[in-house]
C-alpha cells in the first residue's frame, strides 16, 4: 500500500521518475514522504507513525495529544507540525519541509568544528529546549542524538530537532527523563568537538575535551562513561556550555553567539532536498549555455534560487527552479499571474518583475530581475525584531505594493518575509560589506530604499510555511471577498511578526518593551480578528490606528500601578517649594484628610516638612548666636574698663624707615578684638613687673613708627587690619612697622605735669630683623576720643613720640 501511495487525504504524494514515492530519511520509527498539501498549497512532509502499522487506542490517544502540543511550538530549532489526522487506520501528521544535512553526514564530510562554533550550536539548541517548560510530556520523548544541520536564511548555522518520539508510548504521570536528554546532548557535543561518534572509550584521550572547563568536562565524562548516573538537569548543562564558551572566547564582541555561527563556504551544509529533486544532476548542466552561474566567493544562494548572468544580454538575473509535474502538478500553483501584462515599472515601483518563464519535461525555469539588496527574512534573521517606527516605514510601502498588485490583476500576494525584497545599495565589489553595515542600523536611518513584493512563485514559496496557516473555513464563497480578506489578514499578521519575531498562529504574541502597551494591545486584538472571516481591518485603517497609538502619550508609572489617572497638577507639585505659608502644613491631620478618590504619588500619612523661613516669634535664636553675642559684649566691656594708654605721635614713614613714603594723614584702622585682648594681657604683665611708687608714662598720640620688636610681640591668632599706603611707581617695596602694645597707665596722686616730665620709655632694639608688613595698625579717631573721655583727665600739650632713633618734635 505504501509503495503505491498516490493520495493521502488532501495530500498528493510526490513520485520519482520511476513512479516510486519520494521518501525522506527522518526518524527510524516513522515513514516520511514528500507530499503537496492542496489546501495550503505547500510542499510538506508526511509522517506516518509506526511505519504504517495500526496503533492501539492508548498509543493513538497519546500520539494525538503530544502531536497537538507540538503543533503549538514555534522556533527554528524545532520541526513545525501543521496538521494531525488519521486515514484508513493510520495516524499521521504533516510538518514543514526541512532541508539540510544530518549531523553524522555533516561531521563525517567536513570533520570537527571549532570549539567556539560547536559550543555555540549546542548552547542554542539547549536554550531553545528549555523554553518548552510547559511541554514536559512532549520533551520527555524527544531525541537529540540525530539532529539536522541546517541554516537560517543561509547565513547562520542551526541545529533542528525533527524526532519528537510520537511513535513511542508514554503516560501522563511520567516525569521527563532528563538524564537521557543530558546523555544525548553530551554525545552531540562530543561529536561536534572531536569529529567522530562516541565509541565508548575514555573521553580524556581527546585534547578538545581536556581543554574544556572543569564543570563541562566532568559532566561530559560522566554522561559518556556512566550513563546510568548521568546528571538530570538540562539547565545546568546549558549553563556549563555557556561558561565553557565564554572561557574559550576572550574578546567581548566575539562572545556574541551569532558571530560564531556565521556560515562560510566550509561550514555550509549540503542541501538534501536539492540532491533529491535534481537527482544528482549539476546545476550547470540543467541551465545549459543560456545562463552562467555566479558562484564567486562569499556568494550565498538557496538550493533553488541561483544568481546567474544572462549570457546573451549580459544582464544579472536570478534563476528560480520550480519542481516538475511528478513533484507538484502544474495545475496546483500559478507560476506567474496571468494579468501581469498590466505591469508598468513607472506606475508600479513596489512590484518585483519576472523576466521570462519556460518549461521543460522535468523543470520549470523562471527568471527575475536581480537588484542590489536582500530579503526581509534576512534582515529578521539578523535583527530578530524591529522597532515600531521601522515597522511603519516598511508597512507603508508594503501597503502601496498591495494596491499596485491589485492594479496589475494580482489579487493574492504571499506576504512572507522571503518574498519581500529591500532594494538598497549600489552594485559593486563593496556591496556585501555595505549591506552588512545597513543591517545593523535602523531602517529610518537608511538611505532611500524601495520595498518590492514578489507576485510570482518560487521554490521557496512552495515549501516555506505561511504566516497564515490556511484560509478560514467559514469565509464567504465569493472569490474576490476571500482574496481581499486574505490581503487584510496577511498584512496584520506580517506586522505582528515584524514586531515580535515569532509566528503568531501558535498563541498570543509577546511584544518587546519598545512597543507601547496601547499599540501592543491593538495588534493583539487585530491578530485575534485575523482568525475570523471578514473582521480584520484594512491596511489603511491598521496603519492609521497603529501610528496614532505610537504618537499618543505614554501612561506614567503611577497610573499603571494604581490603575487610574493621576492629576497633572499633583504630579507637577511633587518636590516643589512653595513661597506661601498656607501651601505647606506640618499637621498630619491635613495629610490624613485627603480625598480618597484622588490618586497622589506621595505616600499617604507621611509627615510633611515645613520649608518656610524661620519665624522669630515662634522660635528662639540658636544658642551659638547667643554665645557669640555674649563673647562680643564681654570683650567690649573689658576693653572699656581697661586703663588708658599713652598715645603715639605720628611719624613719617620716610623718617621711620628708609625708602618708605609717608602718607599725608595718619590712617587709624579699627583694632580687632583679638588685638585688644592681647594688649590687655600685656598690660596686666606690665602691672606685675612695675616697681612700687613708679608711675608709667602717660598715653601719647598714635603714630606710625619703624621699630624692631621681638617675635613674641606678633601673635598668629591676631588678625591684621590693613590700610592702603600710597607708593611711587619706581619706589622700592614698602616696609611697614608694627606698633608695639602701649604701656599701661597707673593711677597716681601726682599731677599730670610731673608725669609728663619723665623721658619716654625706649624699647631696646632686638637682635632679630624687624618684621615687615604692608600696612600699619593705628586706632581710629573715634577710639582715640573714647580713650580721652574715659582714661585721660588733663590733656595739655603734646608729648614726644617714641622712636628708635631720636625723639621727634611734635608736628604742627
Amino acid at each position: 500500500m505504501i509503495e503505491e501511495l498516490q493520495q493521502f487525504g488532501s495530500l498528493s504524494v510526490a513520485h520519482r521518475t520511476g513512479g516510486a514515492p519520494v521518501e525522506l530519511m527522518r526518524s527510524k520509527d516513522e515513514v516520511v514522504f514528500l507530499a503537496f498539501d492542496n489546501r495550503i498549497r505547500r510542499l510538506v512532509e508526511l509522517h506516518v507513525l509506526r511505519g504504517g502499522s495500526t496503533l492501539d487506542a492508548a498509543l493513538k490517544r497519546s500520539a494525538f495529544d503530544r502531536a497537538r502540543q507540538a503543533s503549538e511550538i514555534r522556533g527554528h530549532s524545532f520541526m513545525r507540525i501543521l496538521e494531525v489526522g488519521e486515514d484508513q487506520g493510520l495516524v499521521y501528521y504533516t510538518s514543514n519541509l526541512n532541508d539540510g544535512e544530518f549531523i553524522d553526514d555533516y561531521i563525517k564530510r567536513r570533520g570537527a568544528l571549532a570549539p567556539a562554533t560547536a559550543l555555540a550550536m549546542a548552547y542554542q539548541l539547549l536554550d531553545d529546549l528549555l523554553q518548552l517548560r510547559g511541554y514536559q510530556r512532549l520533551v520527555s520523548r524527544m531525541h537529540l542524538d540525530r539532529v539536522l544541520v541546517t541554516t537560517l536564511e543561509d547565513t547562520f548555522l542551526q541545529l533542528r530537532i525533527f524526532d519528537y518520539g510520537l511513535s513511542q508510548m508514554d503516560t501522563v504521570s511520567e516525569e521527563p527523563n532528563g538524564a537521557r536528554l543530558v546523555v544525548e546532548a553530551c554525545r552531540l557535543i562530543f561529536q561536534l568537538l572531536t569529529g567522530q561518534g562516541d565509541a565508548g572509550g575514555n573521553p580524556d584521550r581527546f585534547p578538545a575535551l581536556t581543554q574544556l572547563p572543569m564543570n563541562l568536562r566532568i559532566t561530559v565524562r560522566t554522561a559518556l562513561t556512566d550513563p546510568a548516573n548521568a546528571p538530570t538537569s538540562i539547565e545546568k548543562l546549558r549553563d556549563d556550555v555557556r561558561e565553557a564558551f565564554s572561557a574559550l572566547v576572550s574578546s567581548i564582541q566575539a562572545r556574541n553567539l551569532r558571530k560564531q555561527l556565521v556560515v562560510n563556504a566550509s561550514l555550509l551544509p549540503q542541501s538534501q532536498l536539492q540532491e533529491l529533486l535534481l537527482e544528482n544532476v549539476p546545476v550547470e548542466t540543467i541551465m545549459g549555455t543560456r545562463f552562467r552561474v555566479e558562484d564567486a566567493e562569499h556568494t550565498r544562494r538557496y538550493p533553488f534560487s541561483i544568481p546567474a548572468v544572462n549570457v546573451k544580454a549580459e544582464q544579472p538575473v536570478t534563476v528560480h527552479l520550480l519542481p516538475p509535474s511528478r513533484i507538484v502538478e502544474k495545475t496546483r500553483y500559478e507560476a506567474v499571474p496571468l494579468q501581469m501584462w498590466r505591469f508598468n515599472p513607472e506606475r508600479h515601483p513596489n512590484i518585483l518583475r519576472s523576466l521570462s518563464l519556460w518549461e521543460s519535461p522535468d523543470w520549470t525555469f523562471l527568471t527575475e530581475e536581480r537588484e542590489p539588496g536582500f530579503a526581509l527574512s534576512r534582515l529578521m534573521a539578523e535583527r530578530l525584531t524591529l522597532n515600531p517606527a521601522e515597522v511603519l516605514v516598511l508597512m507603508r510601502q508594503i501597503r502601496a505594493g498591495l494596491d499596485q498588485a491589485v492594479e496589475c490583476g494580482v489579487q493574492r500576494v504571499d506576504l512572507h518575509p522571503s518574498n519581500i525584497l529591500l532594494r538598497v545599495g549600489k552594485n559593486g565589489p563593496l556591496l556585501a560589506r555595505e549591506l552588512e553595515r545597513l543591517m545593523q542600523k535602523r531602517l529610518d536611518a537608511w538611505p532611500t530604499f524601495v520595498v518590492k513584493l514578489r507576485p510570482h512563485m518560487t521554490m521557496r514559496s512552495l515549501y516555506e510555511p505561511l504566516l497564515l496557516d490556511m484560509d478560514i473555513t467559514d469565509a464567504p464563497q465569493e472569490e474576490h471577498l476571500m482574496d481581499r480578506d486574505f490581503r487584510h489578514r496577511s498584512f496584520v499578521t506580517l506586522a505582528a511578526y515584524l514586531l515580535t519575531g515569532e509566528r503568531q498562529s501558535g498563541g498570543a504574541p509577546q511584544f518587546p518593551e519598545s512597543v507601547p502597551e496601547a499599540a501592543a494591545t491593538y495588534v493583539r486584538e487585530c491578530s485575534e480578528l485575523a482568525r475570523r472571516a471578514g473582521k480584520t481591518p484594512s491596511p489603511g485603517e491598521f496603519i492609521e490606528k497603529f501610528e496614532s497609538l505610537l504618537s499618543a502619550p505614554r501612561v506614567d508609572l503611577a497610573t499603571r500601578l494604581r490603575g487610574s489617572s493621576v492629576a497633572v497638577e499633583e504630579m507637577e507639585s511633587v518636590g516643589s517649594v512653595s513661597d506661601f505659608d498656607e501651601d505647606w502644613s506640618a499637621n498630619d491631620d491635613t495629610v490624613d484628610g485627603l480625598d480618597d478618590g484622588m490618586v497622589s504619588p506621595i505616600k499617604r500619612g507621611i509627615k510633611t516638612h515645613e520649608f518656610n523661613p524661620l519665624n522669630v516669634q515662634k522660635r528662639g535664636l540658636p544658642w551659638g548666636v547667643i554665645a557669640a553675642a555674649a563673647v562680643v559684649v564681654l570683650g567690649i566691656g573689658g576693653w572699656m574698663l581697661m586703663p588708658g594708654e599713652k598715645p603715639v605721635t605720628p611719624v613719617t614713614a620716610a623718617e621711620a624707615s628708609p625708602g618708605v613714603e609717608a602718607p599725608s594723614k595718619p590712617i587709624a584702622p579699627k583694632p580687632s578684638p583679638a588685638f585688644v585682648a592681647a594688649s590687655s594681657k600685656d598690660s596686666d604683665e606690665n602691672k606685675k613687673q612695675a616697681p612700687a611708687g613708679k608711675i608709667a608714662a602717660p598715653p601719647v598720640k598714635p603714630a606710625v613708627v619703624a621699630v624692631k620688636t621681638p617675635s613674641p610681640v606678633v601673635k598668629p591668632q591676631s588678625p591684621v587690619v590693613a590700610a592702603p599706603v600710597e607708593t611711587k611707581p619706581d619706589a622700592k617695596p614698602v616696609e611697614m612697622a608694627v606698633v608695639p602694645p602701649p604701656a599701661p597707665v597707673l593711677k597716681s596722686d601726682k599731677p599730670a605735669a610731673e608725669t609728663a616730665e619723665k623721658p619716654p620709655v625706649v624699647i631696646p632694639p632686638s637682635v632679630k630683623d624687624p618684621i615687615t608688613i604692608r600696612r600699619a595698625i593705628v586706632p581710629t579717631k573715634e577710639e582715640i576720643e573714647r580713650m580721652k573721655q574715659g582714661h585721660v583727665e588733663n590733656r595739655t600739650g603734646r608729648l614726644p613720640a617714641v622712636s628708635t632713633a631720636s625723639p621727634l618734635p611734635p608736628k604742627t
Side-chain angles (χ1 to χ4, degrees):
M1 176 181 176
I2 296 297
E3 289 74 10
E4 301 176 357
L5 188 62
Q6 300 288 335
Q7 195 74 20
F8 197 91
S10 62
L11 305 175
S12 299
V13 182
H15 290 80
R16 294 181 179 273
T17 306
V22 179
E23 187 174 354
L24 304 175
M25 299 303 297
R26 293 295 183 262
S27 175
K28 60 182 180 179
D29 297 330
E30 301 173 352
V31 180
V32 185
F33 301 99
L34 179 63
F36 183 78
D37 194 332
N38 298 299
R39 292 185 300 174
I40 61 176
R41 301 175 184 178
R42 287 292 187 271
L43 281 169
V44 296
E45 296 179 5
L46 173 60
H47 299 253
V48 182
L49 300 183
R50 286 293 180 97
S53 60
T54 58
L55 305 179
D56 56 0
L59 181 57
K60 185 182 301 184
R61 183 170 53 254
S62 174
F64 268 106
D65 294 342
R66 286 179 291 159
R68 291 191 180 95
Q69 287 185 354
S71 63
E72 301 177 359
I73 297 177
R74 300 292 183 270
H76 300 290
S77 299
F78 306 100
M79 174 183 60
R80 182 180 179 184
I81 293 182
L82 304 175
E83 183 185 4
V84 184
E86 181 181 2
D87 184 83
Q88 301 178 5
L90 300 178
V91 178
Y92 71 94
Y93 66 91
T94 60
S95 68
N96 63 308
L97 185 58
N98 300 278
D99 190 20
E101 192 174 4
F102 289 109
I103 185 65
D104 298 335
D105 302 334
Y106 182 76
I107 294 298
K108 184 179 180 180
R109 178 177 60 85
R110 70 161 317 281
L113 299 178
T117 304
L119 294 177
M121 295 175 65
Y123 175 84
Q124 190 177 40
L125 180 66
L126 294 174
D127 188 65
D128 292 343
L129 189 64
L130 286 175
Q131 302 300 322
L132 306 181
R133 300 182 184 274
Y135 304 91
Q136 295 296 335
R137 186 181 178 188
L138 177 64
V139 174
S140 62
R141 290 299 177 181
M142 286 185 177
H143 293 278
L144 307 180
D145 52 352
R146 195 165 181 263
V147 295
L148 198 68
V149 182
T150 182
T151 58
L152 181 62
E153 294 300 324
D154 208 13
T155 306
F156 303 104
L157 284 175
Q158 184 79 41
L159 295 177
R160 183 169 299 171
I161 301 174
F162 59 86
D163 190 355
Y164 290 164
L166 299 179
S167 298
Q168 302 175 6
M169 184 63 185
D170 74 329
T171 59
V172 180
S173 60
E174 183 180 0
E175 295 293 333
N177 191 1
R180 181 185 62 82
L181 293 176
V182 170
V183 171
E184 293 181 356
C186 290
R187 290 175 181 172
L188 177 62
I189 295 174
F190 178 85
Q191 191 173 11
L192 293 174
L193 291 175
T194 61
Q196 57 182 333
D198 179 29
N202 186 10
D204 294 335
R205 296 187 299 106
F206 300 92
L209 297 180
T210 56
Q211 294 176 0
L212 297 176
M214 183 64 66
N215 293 337
L216 182 59
R217 185 173 59 184
I218 293 176
T219 302
V220 173
R221 183 196 303 131
T222 305
L224 297 181
T225 58
D226 190 8
N229 298 323
T232 60
S233 176
I234 302 178
E235 185 175 3
K236 184 179 183 304
L237 177 61
R238 189 272 311 266
D239 297 340
D240 293 344
V241 171
R242 184 57 190 249
E243 179 187 1
F245 175 79
S246 302
L248 293 176
V249 180
S250 58
S251 175
I252 297 179
Q253 296 181 354
R255 290 183 181 180
N256 186 3
L257 295 173
R258 285 296 182 99
K259 300 296 183 181
Q260 304 295 333
L261 298 178
V262 176
V263 177
N264 51 33
S266 62
L267 294 177
L268 184 66
Q270 294 182 356
S271 174
Q272 186 185 49
L273 184 62
Q274 186 180 25
E275 296 178 357
L276 182 65
L277 297 183
L278 295 181
E279 296 181 349
N280 298 326
V281 178
V283 177
E284 291 78 7
T285 304
I286 295 177
M287 300 183 65
T289 59
R290 178 173 294 185
F291 298 100
R292 182 177 68 251
V293 179
E294 283 189 355
D295 196 10
E297 190 178 1
H298 305 299
T299 298
R300 303 181 180 123
R301 63 182 180 86
Y302 297 103
F304 303 96
S305 178
I306 306 168
V309 176
N310 192 337
V311 177
K312 184 178 181 179
E314 290 296 330
Q315 179 185 7
V317 296
T318 303
V319 179
H320 295 280
L321 301 182
L322 299 179
S325 300
R326 58 185 175 84
I327 304 297
V328 182
E329 296 182 6
K330 302 298 182 181
T331 58
R332 299 296 182 182
Y333 68 92
E334 190 176 17
V336 179
L338 297 178
Q339 302 296 327
M340 278 303 294
W341 59 269
R342 301 179 182 177
F343 174 77
N344 187 352
E346 297 180 357
R347 293 184 54 189
H348 311 123
N350 298 109
I351 301 297
L352 185 63
R353 180 176 56 172
S354 60
L355 301 178
S356 60
L357 174 68
W358 74 95
E359 297 181 357
S360 68
D362 290 333
W363 288 93
T364 299
F365 296 87
L366 185 149
T367 61
E368 68 181 17
E369 56 183 355
R370 180 156 57 95
E371 297 176 331
F374 47 85
L376 180 59
S377 56
R378 173 68 181 87
L379 179 64
M380 291 299 296
E382 184 75 30
R383 296 280 303 277
L384 300 180
T385 60
L386 299 181
N387 296 326
E390 298 175 298
V391 174
L392 276 178
V393 173
L394 286 176
M395 300 308 290
R396 287 194 184 99
Q397 295 199 44
I398 293 174
R399 175 197 173 188
L402 288 177
D403 297 338
Q404 297 168 16
V406 174
E407 293 181 6
C408 296
V410 182
Q411 300 295 327
R412 281 190 176 228
V413 177
D414 184 9
L415 291 184
H416 194 276
S418 61
N419 289 333
I420 302 176
L421 276 74
L422 307 178
R423 186 188 184 281
V424 63
K426 298 180 181 179
N427 286 320
L430 300 179
L431 176 61
R433 184 179 301 176
E434 181 183 1
L435 297 182
E436 291 290 342
R437 289 197 301 264
L438 285 177
M439 291 180 190
Q440 305 300 329
K441 296 181 180 179
R442 292 173 56 97
L443 290 177
D444 46 7
W446 282 13
T448 303
F449 68 97
V450 181
V451 178
K452 288 183 172 289
L453 307 184
R454 178 186 285 129
H456 47 270
M457 189 62 63
T458 63
M459 184 65 183
R460 186 171 182 179
S461 301
L462 288 174
Y463 71 82
E464 281 283 352
L466 284 167
L467 292 181
L468 294 173
D469 287 342
M470 60 185 67
D471 288 339
I472 303 175
T473 56
D474 58 348
Q477 298 299 323
E478 291 81 0
E479 186 176 359
H480 69 282
L481 295 179
M482 294 178 60
D483 294 340
R484 186 185 64 179
D485 190 47
F486 179 80
R487 293 194 301 268
H488 296 178
R489 294 165 55 217
S490 301
F491 189 85
V492 171
T493 308
L494 176 63
Y497 169 72
L498 297 179
L499 290 171
T500 60
E502 59 183 14
R503 310 287 183 176
Q504 305 306 321
S505 58
Q510 301 295 328
F511 293 88
E513 294 293 335
S514 60
V515 183
E517 186 64 28
T521 303
Y522 176 69
V523 177
R524 288 193 188 97
E525 294 175 357
C526 293
S527 301
E528 292 296 330
L529 293 176
R531 305 174 187 271
R532 302 165 57 185
K535 301 297 183 181
T536 311
S538 64
E541 296 175 0
F542 177 81
I543 289 180
E544 182 179 358
K545 180 66 174 178
F546 183 71
E547 186 176 8
S548 63
L549 293 176
L550 290 180
S551 59
R554 294 192 176 185
V555 182
D556 57 304
L557 179 60
T559 303
R560 295 173 62 183
L561 294 177
R562 305 295 292 271
S564 59
S565 61
V566 181
V568 179
E569 53 272 10
E570 291 191 12
M571 296 297 293
E572 292 178 350
S573 64
V574 173
S576 62
V577 180
S578 176
D579 296 331
F580 304 96
D581 297 339
E582 59 269 18
D583 290 345
W584 293 85
S585 177
N587 190 4
D588 294 342
D589 298 334
T590 307
V591 180
D592 297 336
L594 291 175
D595 187 9
D596 295 337
M598 298 177 61
V599 179
S600 176
I602 305 177
K603 182 180 178 182
R604 298 187 178 184
I606 190 171
K607 185 176 181 180
T608 58
H609 297 273
E610 185 175 351
F611 295 96
N612 293 331
L614 294 176
N615 194 344
V616 183
Q617 298 178 357
K618 297 182 179 180
R619 303 178 182 177
L621 292 174
W623 63 271
V625 177
I626 299 176
V631 171
V632 173
V633 171
L634 293 177
I636 295 175
W639 180 78
M640 294 297 292
L641 297 177
M642 185 178 60
E645 303 173 354
K646 56 182 180 179
V648 181
T649 304
V651 182
T652 60
E655 298 173 352
S657 177
V660 179
E661 183 180 356
S664 58
K665 293 182 181 181
I667 302 174
K670 184 178 180 180
S672 61
F675 178 79
V676 174
S679 302
S680 177
K681 182 177 180 180
D682 295 340
S683 301
D684 296 339
E685 294 177 358
N686 292 337
K687 289 179 181 180
K688 296 179 180 180
Q689 296 177 4
K694 297 280 185 173
I695 301 175
V700 295
K701 296 272 186 170
V704 179
V705 295
V707 295
K708 293 184 178 181
T709 58
S711 56
V713 175
V714 180
K715 298 185 178 181
Q717 66 271 15
S718 300
V720 179
V721 180
V725 179
E726 297 181 0
T727 59
K728 295 182 180 179
D730 53 350
K732 296 181 180 180
V734 181
E735 296 182 359
M736 305 303 295
V738 177
V739 179
V745 179
L746 301 179
K747 293 183 178 181
S748 176
D749 297 334
K750 295 182 179 182
E754 299 180 7
T755 308
E757 294 177 357
K758 292 185 177 292
V761 179
V762 179
I763 301 175
S766 176
V767 181
K768 296 183 179 180
D769 296 335
I771 299 176
T772 303
I773 60 176
R774 289 289 180 181
R775 297 186 180 100
I777 303 175
V778 293
T780 62
K781 295 181 179 181
E782 291 79 8
E783 293 176 349
I784 295 174
E785 294 296 332
R786 287 197 299 268
M787 292 167 54
K788 291 179 180 180
Q789 296 176 4
H791 300 280
V792 182
E793 297 178 0
N794 299 324
R795 302 183 182 272
T796 57
R798 292 181 178 269
L799 296 179
V802 180
S803 176
T804 56
S806 61
L808 297 178
K811 187 176 181 180
T812 58

